[in-house]
């Protein structure tokens, strides 16, 4: 036997693929024998020993060598992960992983472009997606966080809120208030549809929208709201007056609001300072919408009413929105209460990889 054929050197990818093949519960005996032969040679066994262990002739082993040299892993019925077949080496994969860890890719096309430029390999869009998943990446949206949220102010607000709730009397109530502006537009969203079926949603024309200012009681899910041509100090007063009318037995109504200008309007102050006033405003920290549970109610409303729904007229759209607040919310609020909660936490940018 010629001395030059006594050993075989496998790449890391080839070795891993052949070892996995040999561990399979069901594999063709000849394929297993071929894989074992090359693993033994790669481990340093000479050709004569391999032939004795596997009970094959030296000419057979020589033929296998030449076939493997030309076909690579496809000689075993496996996909060849060698560079000449358009795949990355272990080192190249490490480089790609490091690059996209530091500079996240927005889509598979960016991955394709980088791999082509840096590794001289052509990847399809689907191939790039598979590569990224194999390297430990997931295609997802980053979480949107307030850019200027003050951690100390968030913590102080949470402590103040918890103290209020712990000392809340039976004739007092707490609500969270905010405004929402649903626009008469069809909103495509993910859903389960028959495979192979082309699915579409009719678009709407125009830019009409509702302007709703509401207040949510997290204990009862009582929702108080008013609608106006625009949200301002006047609609704020109307909503607060409605809160007082609807809750005659309450001696104090604590209303948590954001720092919108109309909540601080001078024309609102005389009414708020009136001695008979039972409403008391509490202001959220700036840039902290996550501390207002009603924000999540708006998301529930959109999923329930506007996602994958087409309303031919603005009146139909308006009716659907009001029907949600007047009927669906009171009837199904146990389904929504786990979404809109006061389980607050301080958000810190230090906990995230900010891009």
């Amino acid at each position: 036997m010629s001395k030059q054929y006594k050993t075989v050197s496998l790449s890391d990818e080839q070795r891993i693929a052949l070892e996995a093949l040999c561990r399979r519960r069901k594999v063709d005996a000849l394929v297993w024998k071929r894989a074992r032969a090359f693993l033994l040679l790669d481990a340093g066994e000479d050709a004569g020993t391999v032939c004795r262990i596997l009970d094959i002739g030296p000419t057979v082993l020589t033929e296998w060598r030449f076939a493997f040299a030309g076909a690579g892993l496809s000689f075993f019925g496996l996909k060849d992960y060698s560079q000449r077949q358009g795949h990355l080496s272990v080192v190249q994969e490490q480089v790609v992983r490091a690059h996209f860890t530091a500079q996240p890719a927005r889509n598979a096309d960016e991955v394709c472009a980088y791999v082509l430029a840096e590794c001289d390999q052509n990847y399809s869009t689907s191939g790039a997606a598979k590569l990224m998943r194999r390297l430990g990446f997931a295609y997802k949206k980053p979480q949107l966080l307030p850019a200027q949220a003050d951690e100390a102010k968030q913590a102080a607000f949470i402590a103040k809120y918890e103290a209020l709730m712990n000392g809340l009397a039976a004739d007092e109530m707490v609500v969270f208030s905010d405004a929402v502006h649903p626009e008469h537009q069809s909103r495509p969203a993910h859903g389960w549809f028959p495979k192979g079926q082309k699915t579409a949603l009719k678009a709407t024309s125009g830019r009409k929208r509702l302007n709703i200012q509401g207040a949510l009681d997290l204990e009862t899910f009582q929702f108080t709201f008013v609608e106006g041509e625009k949200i301002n100090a006047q609609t704020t007063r109307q909503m607060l007056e409605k809160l007082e009318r609807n809750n005659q037995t309450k001696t104090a109504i604590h209303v948590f609001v954001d720092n919108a200008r109309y909540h601080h309007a001078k024309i609102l102050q005389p009414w708020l300072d009136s001695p008979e006033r039972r409403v008391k405003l509490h202001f959220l920290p700036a840039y902290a919408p996550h501390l207002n549970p009603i924000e999540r109610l708006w998301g529930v409303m959109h999923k329930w009413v506007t996602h994958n729904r087409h309303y031919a007229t603005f009146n139909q759209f308006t009716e659907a929105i009001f029907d949600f607040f007047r009927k669906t919310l009171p009837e199904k609020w146990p389904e929504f209460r786990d979404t809109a909660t006061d389980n607050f936490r301080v958000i810190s940018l230090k906990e995230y990889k900010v891009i």
Side-chain angles (χ1 to χ4, degrees), residues 96-97 100 104-105 108 111 127-138:
V96 172
R97 182 187 292 109
F100 287 118
V111 178
K130 291 178 182 178
L131 170 67
M132 293 298 280
R133 284 192 290 269
R134 189 169 72 250
L135 296 181
F137 293 87

Side-chain angles (χ1 to χ4, degrees), residues 98 235 257 268 343:
T235 56
V257 296
L268 190 61
N343 184 22

